[in-house]
Amino acid sequence: MPGLRGRLLVEGWGGTWQRMTRTKQVATDAMDTPLNRCLSTLDITLLGIGHMVGAGIYVLTGTVAKDTAGPGIVLSFLLAGFASLLAALCYAEFGARVPKAGSAYVYTYVTIGEFWAFVIGWNIVLEHMIGAASVARAWSGYMDSLFDGALSNATVTYIGTLHAGLLAPYPDFLAFAVTLVYCGFLTLGVKGSAYFNSIFTLINLCVMAFVIVAGIMFADIGNWNTEKGFLPFGVSGVVAGAATCFYAFVGFDSIATAGEEAKDPAKSIPQATLVSMSVVTIGYIMVGATLTLMVPYYTLNPAAALPDAFAAHGANWAKYVVSVGAICGMTTTLFGSLFSLPRCVYAMAADGLLFSWLARVSDKTKVPVITLILCGFLSALIALVFDIEKLVEFMSIGTLMAYTIVSASVIILRYQPSSRCNIKSPSHSNTQAASTPGTVTTPTTPTSVDDIAKSDGEGGELRSSCRWLLHLVGRQEAGTVATWGVVIFTTCSAALCSLLQWGGSHLALPYPSPWAVILALLLVAMQVFSVVVILAHRQNNLVLSFSVPLVPLLPLVSIFFNVALMVHLNPMTWIRFIVWMVLGLVLYFAYGQHHSREGEPVSSYSTLLTEPAPAGNTVFGSVQHTLSHVTAKIASAASEDKKPIVDESQIDDDDL
């Protein structure tokens, strides 16, 4: 077969287009990965539960109940769990689409493009690094409290104290050591590490069940009927408590990082995400209810709420049971951060955005050992000398930004035309994929014109009943208007939340400022209009093993929640974020951009582009490059069948 000159149009950050040539060849199977596909759905589920149920349930519960929400902590956990579940649903759909390591980084890469993927990945790296360090500090502090402060006193006596802005009062050598020890466990292989995590997670769940069952025996409904009632801090206290409790659910994204180590990621990741979120949400609500029923909320000791609550009823022995659960919980949370961190770095390095040696995988253990050791050492170093309390809020920006972009990406993908996919769905169905280890369920599309006609048209096209919108939006390429709708909704959400946060006094009754009222109404109207515009377009007819229900409404609500929480962050957090991003952008433009594999004929995602997208019709970043062919890219990444990039029947004489 003579060489075929195909055309690829790759849009960069500035909207420029590059041409490149490739010959007809077979794409690399996306299921071929240097990592070890050995994790079952149970393994991944326990990984997610272990990453979420840690210090939060033993420390955060008492703090929020006493100082922020009172017995209303039950509603705070319910609200925070709902907000987290919205993001988790979006992660679950992407887990069914893209069986790759890297979590939100990969999802952003295949949806919006390389630049924004680097922004998300760079922040996720910091998130997991600080997360691991903070949990290591909490683990060390809890052990120190069991020995009445002997460890910290000895360190201050023989080593001394640190006196600087971001540094901790004293170096924590125990946190440094425990981080390196757990890092050593992870280098032994993912299956052995999963057994280790599963055992500690099951112990932690047993302790949680003990707290609920034993605590109910000492429950007194009168503790919810105090002078100030069930909501002593009002509805605002519930919302403020939910903002704090939200971070107790951070960690379910570690499930998505196991995409290349799951036996059947297309099914395991959605199932594990939903099950772990349900278990953790119910567990947090039940523990919060039990704690505030055992003793009045204002008598709680934030440092040791659960042990002191049992001690108030003469059950001093329960302190040791709770201590075992706390140590196991913080161990699995630390494990989850150290598990996710190197896999995100590995995914970025495999795409050429970070140094290539960070993508090397051990032939023996099938683990990126070099990356794991480096990330573990940096996390241990942060735990050794830095004041985690001043840095921990910093990690939330990357998390919320990742949640926002993943939620937006779900909507963007749903409104892309499936007719652009060059998919050859295998005749065997999902049952075969499920029964064969290491296979992935392939998204399917209608195979005949009649099937497409029954599906009410192509995705991204304007519905026939909404043709009146043509006078407002004009004739655009399918999917473009829906994408702009997401951008406008997100921008208006940020503006509205900023107005409520910084200009709320101008909206206060009984004398609100006219300009503030008009601006708020205008922003709300633009939000409603963007939702109407999105709904006026058809969704594509791809069938996945899991899909988010009520699209675009649920993802849009998730976007609004995440944006609102970001606006409430401390201004110093945003300054630190800017500094971190400047460092990342220097690395991206100095190294990543020149070594990127985005334009290679076969990337780590087996990106197959069978037709060029029209130039000059961009949305933002490198959206149009990926959006015009995003379904084909994801289907190729999930497909186990090797197929030619261009069918012979599609070859024009001009291309020869």
Side-chain angles (χ1 to χ4, degrees), residues 55-67 73 77 142 145 211 215 287-288 290-313 315 318-319 322-323 326:
I57 200 168
Y58 300 100
V59 179
L60 186 66
T61 306
T63 302
V64 174
K66 182 177 182 180
D67 301 328
I73 189 175
F77 273 127
Y142 204 92
S145 66
V211 168
V287 170
T290 301
L291 180 62
T292 52
L293 283 172
M294 290 177 67
V295 294
Y297 74 92
Y298 49 81
T299 64
L300 290 172
N301 176 15
L306 289 173
D308 286 6
F310 280 103
H313 293 278
K319 170 184 178 180
V322 174
S323 298

Side-chain angles (χ1 to χ4, degrees), residues 184-444:
F185 277 120
L186 286 167
T187 60
L188 300 179
V190 64
K191 192 60 179 178
S193 302
Y195 284 137
F196 173 83
N197 173 78
S198 299
I199 292 172
F200 277 78
T201 300
L202 291 173
I203 294 175
N204 191 21
L205 290 176
C206 290
V207 172
M208 185 189 301
F210 163 80
V211 168
I212 296 171
V213 174
I216 290 295
M217 298 173 61
F218 302 111
D220 180 7
I221 195 64
N223 291 325
W224 279 7
N225 297 322
T226 60
E227 294 181 359
K228 295 184 178 180
F230 182 73
L231 301 178
F233 298 92
V235 177
S236 61
V238 173
V239 176
T244 303
C245 294
F246 178 84
Y247 304 112
F249 294 90
V250 172
F252 68 82
D253 57 340
S254 62
I255 295 173
T257 63
E260 289 189 48
E261 290 159 303
K263 294 178 181 178
D264 188 3
K267 291 186 176 181
S268 295
I269 292 179
Q271 292 175 2
T273 300
L274 298 179
V275 171
S276 62
M277 279 298 303
S278 301
V279 170
V280 170
T281 301
I282 294 173
Y284 273 136
I285 292 174
M286 292 298 295
V287 170
T290 301
L291 180 62
T292 52
L293 283 172
M294 290 177 67
V295 294
Y297 74 92
Y298 49 81
T299 64
L300 290 172
N301 176 15
L306 289 173
D308 286 6
F310 280 103
H313 293 278
N316 292 305
W317 53 271
K319 170 184 178 180
Y320 302 101
V321 178
V322 174
S323 298
V324 170
I327 294 298
C328 291
M330 287 183 280
T331 295
T332 56
T333 304
L334 177 59
F335 175 91
S337 294
L338 292 176
F339 178 90
S340 304
L341 174 59
R343 282 154 180 80
C344 184
V345 175
Y346 158 80
M348 296 177 70
D351 293 326
L353 302 184
L354 296 179
F355 305 112
S356 59
W357 51 270
L358 292 173
R360 296 176 184 172
V361 176
S362 170
D363 294 332
K364 182 177 181 181
T365 62
K366 303 298 182 181
V367 171
V369 175
I370 297 177
T371 304
L372 178 57
I373 293 175
L374 177 62
C375 294
F377 177 78
L378 293 177
S379 299
L381 190 63
I382 293 174
L384 176 66
V385 298
F386 283 97
D387 185 356
I388 302 302
E389 292 183 1
K390 295 181 180 179
L391 296 177
V392 70
E393 191 182 39
F394 183 28
M395 63 180 278
S396 61
I397 287 186
T399 302
L400 293 171
M401 185 176 293
Y403 290 177
T404 301
I405 290 185
V406 170
S407 299
S409 299
V410 167
I411 303 174
I412 292 172
L413 290 183
R414 289 291 190 91
Y415 290 91
Q416 295 305 306
S418 56
S419 60
R420 289 177 182 160
C421 304
N422 184 25
I423 301 176
K424 295 181 179 179
S425 299
S427 57
H428 52 277
S429 62
N430 297 350
T431 55
Q432 180 176 347
S435 61
T436 306
T439 62
V440 176
T441 304
T442 305
T444 59

Side-chain angles (χ1 to χ4, degrees), residues 41 62 92 115 136 149 196 371 416 439 486 491 533 562 569 656:
T41 302
F115 178 83
F196 173 83
T371 304
Q416 295 305 306
T439 62
V486 176
T491 303
V533 168
N562 298 329
L569 293 176
L656 295 176

Side-chain angles (χ1 to χ4, degrees), residues 68 75 164 272 289 357 397 433 451 482 506 557 569 600 609 633:
T68 309
L75 300 180
W357 51 270
I397 287 186
D451 291 336
H506 295 282
V557 173
L569 293 176
E600 291 187 5
L609 307 182
K633 294 168 68 174

